[in-house]
Amino acid sequence: MTAPAPPLARILTRRLAWIALAALAINALVVGVYYGSDRQALEEEAIERVMARLEAALAGAPPRVDASAREIFARHPGAYAFALVDRTGAVLDAENPALVPAEALETGAFADDWVARVASDRGRTVVAAHAVASGDDLRLVLVMSGGDPAGLLRSALLAELVGHIWLPIVPVVLILIGANAVLVRRGLAPVAAAAAWARAVRPGSPAPPPPRERVPAEIADLVDATQRSLDRLNAALAAEKRRAAEAAHALRTPVAVLVARLDALPPGETADRLRADLSALSRTVRQVLASASADALAVDEAATVDLGPVAEVVTANLAAFAHGKGVALALERPAAPVLARGDADGVALALSNLVENAIVHGGPGAVEIVVGPGPEIRVRDHGPGVPPGGRGNLFEPFWRGENAPPGGAGLGLAIVERVQRAQGGSAEVASAEGGGAAFVLRFRSADR
């Protein structure tokens, strides 16, 4: 079974979301490459972050750096160092002081914040100084040497990505994705309305009014063109049905004349064969007329019908036909009314074709017609039953089983199915226990 196609709104929303996420990823890559290639800027950003952490951790008198801010220096004694000095050059606190150049502690270098990069036997060394903002004439000196084992530069780069992408851009991307989802759904609402209108179209019935909401010009043109095409198709279909009904109706008189003339012939094998052929032709003409009536059937949704009297009339009308085929009709109905939603003419048309089908295909014997319980009518014959593998084709027009008796056109059950569908009911078939076929006409309950 093929999986249903996803809605167009979902497809467009996903694609726009992927485009937005791709733009975000490209932006992150560009920013990462831009800041990652500027090592000096990353070093200064890392120094500023460490200096701020050290300054925030100053406490006591004389001031010292709290242990929580010294952890990175303790873990990497050969890579990071700091010193806290006053204006006289006295070192008040330090961690890994051997890494701090003596020149960085001179009072002459006390004037401004600065960053210096020098080459040493450990490789590239960065020395920075920062005046403490507390106003006590204190200065922090920071040294980064021997690479970056603590990943301070990576942390600085991540902070740049968060500050320049995550905080300002990600919320905008999320808002755009949400807005796109809403706008796409609203923009495609006319398409959904047009699809619902198209699904409401029924063959042979006038097209329903087009969607009333405002639709784009392209959708309006499509709906208008479709409606015009449907009107032309309905007109052509009505003409075909009318011609078929007119032809069948016109054949009734010649067939009746032929029957009368055959009755005037002397008995014999040839006359009997002609009567059988003419009976089959007459039945085909009746079925074509019934098919036209089924197509033209209009059922009021609120109409109700008592199934019992309709079944009595149908049984009486077909009694002579059944007697001629050696079939006895038996009707069983409750005394109380069996009400259902439907049209009396439609119920009679469906039941007549179903009983006639049972008479012809069930062979000599009995055909039982049972009304109820509930809004249904059951018809059972005692013939050969449903052909093997033919259950799915029984209600197809012009389909006939391999062992079907000659003379039929394969229209009877197709007419039953069309009439039942027009009334909102159904026609079902099963092999009856003990042989034969059992058909059920189900109708909508009158309580609904």
Side-chain angles (χ1 to χ4, degrees):
M1 183 177 178
T2 306
L8 180 59
R10 185 185 305 170
I11 295 175
L12 293 179
T13 300
R14 286 180 177 176
R15 290 180 179 177
L16 291 173
W18 280 115
I19 291 174
L21 293 176
L24 178 63
I26 293 173
N27 189 282
L29 179 63
V30 171
V31 171
V33 171
Y34 175 78
Y35 283 101
S37 61
D38 191 352
R39 183 180 178 86
Q40 289 190 5
L42 286 178
E43 289 173 346
E44 293 174 2
E45 177 68 21
I47 289 170
E48 182 178 349
R49 290 163 58 85
V50 175
M51 288 289 195
R53 192 159 53 245
L54 291 173
E55 185 174 356
L58 289 175
R64 290 180 58 83
V65 176
D66 187 78
S68 60
R70 311 171 77 99
E71 183 179 357
I72 184 175
F73 301 95
R75 286 204 314 265
H76 306 284
Y80 307 105
F82 79 87
L84 177 65
V85 299
D86 60 13
R87 183 168 289 278
T88 65
V91 178
L92 305 180
D93 190 13
E95 189 74 35
N96 307 323
L99 296 180
V100 181
E103 297 84 355
L105 304 176
E106 295 177 357
T107 57
F110 218 84
D112 300 310
D113 290 358
W114 51 267
V115 178
R117 297 167 180 84
V118 295
S120 65
D121 53 355
R122 302 186 187 89
R124 180 185 175 91
T125 299
V126 180
V127 182
H130 169 65
V132 176
S134 61
D136 296 332
D137 290 339
L138 301 178
R139 176 170 293 277
L140 282 167
V141 177
L142 176 65
V143 177
M144 298 172 56
S145 179
D148 184 24
L152 297 180
L153 298 183
R154 288 195 302 273
S155 298
L157 179 59
L158 181 61
E160 290 293 333
L161 293 176
V162 170
H164 291 85
I165 295 179
W166 181 260
L167 294 180
I169 298 180
V170 169
V172 174
V173 170
L174 295 177
I175 292 173
L176 286 176
I177 291 176
N180 283 331
V182 173
L183 293 176
V184 166
R185 290 183 183 277
R186 293 189 62 180
L188 292 177
V191 178
W197 170 80
R199 286 192 297 269
V201 173
R202 294 292 180 268
S205 301
R212 293 185 177 181
E213 56 265 22
R214 186 176 180 181
V215 297
E218 295 80 2
I219 303 299
D221 289 343
L222 176 62
V223 170
D224 184 60
T226 303
Q227 190 167 24
R228 290 197 302 269
S229 298
L230 288 173
D231 291 340
R232 291 194 296 270
L233 288 174
N234 283 334
L237 181 59
E240 290 295 327
K241 292 177 181 178
R242 186 172 60 253
R243 281 192 288 270
E246 290 171 351
H249 193 274
L251 286 173
R252 294 179 66 181
T253 300
V255 168
V257 172
L258 286 175
V259 170
R261 290 179 178 177
L262 280 175
D263 290 339
L265 292 177
E269 182 181 355
T270 301
D272 292 340
R273 289 181 179 177
L274 287 175
R275 285 190 182 93
D277 293 339
L278 193 56
S279 176
L281 176 60
S282 178
R283 182 167 176 257
T284 300
V285 170
R286 289 198 309 272
Q287 286 184 332
V288 172
L289 287 172
S291 178
S293 299
D295 291 332
L297 182 64
V299 180
D300 185 357
E301 291 292 326
T304 59
V305 58
D306 186 356
L307 301 180
V310 176
E312 283 187 354
V313 173
V314 170
T315 304
N317 290 341
L318 292 175
F321 177 72
H323 180 73
K325 297 287 186 180
V327 176
L329 297 182
L331 172 64
E332 179 183 338
R333 54 159 296 193
V338 181
L339 299 179
R341 295 288 184 189
D343 179 78
D345 292 337
V347 175
L349 181 60
L351 184 59
S352 297
N353 279 273
L354 190 56
V355 173
E356 187 174 337
N357 183 80
I359 293 171
V360 172
H361 294 274
V367 171
E368 301 157 3
I369 306 166
V370 180
V371 180
E376 63 183 34
I377 303 176
R378 298 177 180 270
V379 177
R380 178 190 174 178
D381 62 52
H382 295 269
V386 181
R391 185 171 298 182
N393 300 318
L394 277 178
F395 297 102
E396 293 294 328
F398 306 108
W399 184 87
R400 291 170 52 80
E402 295 181 358
N403 300 319
L411 289 174
L413 293 180
I415 294 170
V416 172
E417 195 274 336
R418 289 214 303 276
V419 172
Q420 286 299 96
R421 186 173 62 231
Q423 299 185 109
S426 64
E428 301 172 7
V429 61
S431 294
E433 185 178 352
F439 289 84
V440 183
L441 298 180
R442 300 191 189 277
F443 303 89
R444 292 177 296 139
S445 174
D447 298 332
R448 296 180 182 175

